[in-house]
Amino acid sequence: MTKRMFQTPDEQAANEREVRELYSKLLESWDKHDAKAFAALFNEDGESIGFDGSQLIGQAEIFSTLKTIFDHHPTPPYIYKIKNVRFLQPDIATLRAIVGMVPPGKTEIDPSLNSIQTIVATRHNGKWHIASLQNTPAQLHGRPELVQQMTEELREVSARNDHQSRNV
């Protein structure tokens, strides 16, 4: 019996929602400094490539490295906007997002911390996990207008989130 290589529109919408939720949970666990929850979102042999180029392979290494970081460094929360979700196969998807951060003690997004994040998500036994996370600094050398555009886009997301949380 062969595996279906297509999704109905309803299946694709449900899968996209689940991949978006997976990514949101990843950033929520970062924001809460919860290394265990962060690592648990990856496949057992998943990998995370950090903003500084560091490579963490496997849930255990992701957990132990992040736990050390969270225990010894103030890490700012993410402000993010998902740009797209694309299915390579029904059980393999990529998600691309832009992210920024407001450093501790500051009130504005620091454009030098902007990045583009990409995850490859895979589904096994009906559950989505991250196979790979790539966190690429978005310095966009020689194109300061694009850095400014990204920062403004993230400021709009932040302002909208602040407004929603005040009106709940």
Side-chain angles (χ1 to χ4, degrees):
M1 183 176 240
T2 61
K3 188 175 186 177
R4 277 189 7 208
M5 295 304 292
F6 66 92
Q7 300 177 73
T8 67
D10 287 345
E11 289 170 331
Q12 183 161 342
N15 287 329
E16 181 172 335
R17 193 170 37 256
E18 289 174 13
V19 170
R20 287 172 174 269
E21 288 170 4
L22 174 68
Y23 180 71
S24 294
K25 287 177 186 176
L26 182 76
L27 297 189
E28 287 170 17
S29 63
W30 172 275
D31 293 350
K32 293 177 181 176
H33 302 124
D34 188 342
K36 184 176 182 181
F38 189 98
L41 296 169
F42 285 79
N43 291 335
E44 189 67 34
D45 63 348
E47 68 179 322
S48 176
I49 301 172
F51 187 84
D52 65 352
S54 58
Q55 296 179 345
L56 308 175
I57 310 296
Q59 286 180 340
E61 186 176 11
I62 293 168
F63 167 74
S64 65
T65 301
L66 279 184
K67 180 162 180 14
T68 300
I69 290 170
F70 292 153
D71 287 348
H72 297 97
H73 299 88
T75 56
Y78 280 113
I79 298 163
Y80 69 97
K81 181 175 184 180
I82 296 171
K83 300 298 272 185
N84 70 358
V85 175
R86 200 179 96 189
F87 288 89
L88 306 175
Q89 293 185 13
D91 293 333
I92 303 171
T94 62
L95 176 147
R96 183 175 50 84
I98 59 173
V99 299
M101 296 176 145
V102 177
K106 305 288 183 179
T107 59
E108 291 291 321
I109 294 171
D110 181 349
S112 72
L113 299 176
N114 289 356
S115 67
I116 298 169
Q117 292 185 337
T118 304
I119 66 167
V120 176
T122 58
R123 182 174 52 188
H124 299 285
N125 299 321
K127 188 161 170 73
W128 289 95
H129 285 91
I130 298 168
S132 179
L133 164 66
Q134 171 75 44
N135 193 9
T136 305
Q139 301 307 300
L140 305 165
H141 299 291
R143 296 173 286 169
E145 70 282 358
L146 295 179
V147 174
Q148 182 63 30
Q149 179 183 341
M150 179 184 288
T151 303
E152 287 303 318
E153 200 170 343
L154 291 166
R155 283 184 183 134
E156 289 173 14
V157 170
S158 180
R160 192 168 44 249
N161 290 345
D162 287 347
H163 179 73
Q164 288 173 348
S165 66
R166 284 192 302 265
N167 290 309
V168 172

